[in-house]
């Protein structure tokens, strides 16, 4: 009997303010890399709660999702892992300046589109720039596309 294959479900926040996008500088197995505030969906958690939690844990910013940016399927061939990413746009509702960030997080960094493009060789995945470009072109989908069903 073969093993059951499942993608890794992740969430990400594409946060834009004053001409810049919020990225996370983090230590990874491949060295220092950039990502959007992002992480894995936890058991029993809905997608919106997950992106709010991950953004706070990685940046100390309180995030309110207002739209779905897109759903992205990416296979990391080197690691043999498929990621199914739900990316959201929204608003920052506050900042906890003294909050300790997740282990491995170096800092939250604001970057222009040009800076993000110039640092693409340090991106954790090609999804970072794709989400920035999708946001910049105005892609948005209503949150009511998502249904979290509690039995």
């Amino acid at each position: 009997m073969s093993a059951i294959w499942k993608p890794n479900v992740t969430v990400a926040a594409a946060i834009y303010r004053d001409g810049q996008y919020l990225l996370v500088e983090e230590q990874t197995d491949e060295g220092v890399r950039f990502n959007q505030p992002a992480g894995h969906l936890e058991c029993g958690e809905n997608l919106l709660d997950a992106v709010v939690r991950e953004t706070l844990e990685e940046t100390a910013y309180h995030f309110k999702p207002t739209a779905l940016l897109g759903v992205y399927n990416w296979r990391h061939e080197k690691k043999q892992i498929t990621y199914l990413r739900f990316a959201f746009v929204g608003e920052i509702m506050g900042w906890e300046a003294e909050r300790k960030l997740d282990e491995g997080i170096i800092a939250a960094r604001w970057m222009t589109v040009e800076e993000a493009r110039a640092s693409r060789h340090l991106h954790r995945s090609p999804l970072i720039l794709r989400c920035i470009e999708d946001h910049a072109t105005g892609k948005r989908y209503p949150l009511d596309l998502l249904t979290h069903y509690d039995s």
Side-chain angles (χ1 to χ4, degrees):
M1 181 179 229
S2 63
I4 296 174
W5 174 85
K6 293 182 182 178
N8 284 268
V9 176
T10 62
V11 295
I15 301 170
Y16 180 78
R17 182 180 75 182
D18 299 329
Q20 298 180 315
Y21 288 90
L22 181 61
L23 296 180
V24 174
E25 184 179 9
E26 59 188 334
Q27 187 64 48
T28 73
D29 295 340
E30 299 171 347
V32 175
R33 295 290 183 261
F34 289 103
N35 198 1
Q36 268 107 12
H40 293 270
L41 180 69
E42 294 182 356
C43 182
E45 189 174 42
N46 72 51
L47 294 165
L48 297 176
D49 290 343
V51 74
V52 168
R53 174 186 53 76
E54 287 290 352
T55 302
L56 182 61
E57 290 174 353
E58 293 188 356
T59 69
Y61 285 101
H62 291 271
F63 176 65
K64 178 184 175 188
T66 57
L68 178 67
L69 179 62
V71 179
Y72 304 83
N73 183 336
W74 176 64
R75 176 121 176 116
H76 191 303
E77 288 299 335
K78 185 176 177 184
K79 293 184 177 182
Q80 297 292 296
I81 298 173
T82 299
Y83 294 96
L84 186 60
R85 176 190 252 213
F86 292 80
F88 297 90
V89 297
E91 305 167 4
I92 290 176
M93 305 302 289
W95 184 50
E96 294 181 29
E98 302 303 317
R99 183 181 179 89
K100 185 176 180 335
L101 303 180
D102 269 359
E103 185 176 333
I105 303 296
I106 297 167
R109 305 274 187 222
W110 291 95
M111 290 186 177
T112 64
V113 174
E114 294 77 21
E115 290 168 331
R117 284 187 184 124
S119 66
R120 76 173 61 172
H121 65 287
L122 295 174
H123 290 186
R124 211 155 165 193
S125 83
L127 299 179
I128 289 93
L129 192 54
R130 177 63 191 264
C131 286
I132 288 171
E133 290 173 343
D134 284 352
H135 178 273
T137 61
K139 288 191 178 182
R140 308 284 189 282
Y141 302 95
L143 292 176
D144 63 6
L145 282 174
L146 305 171
T147 300
H148 180 80
Y149 183 77
D150 290 317
S151 55

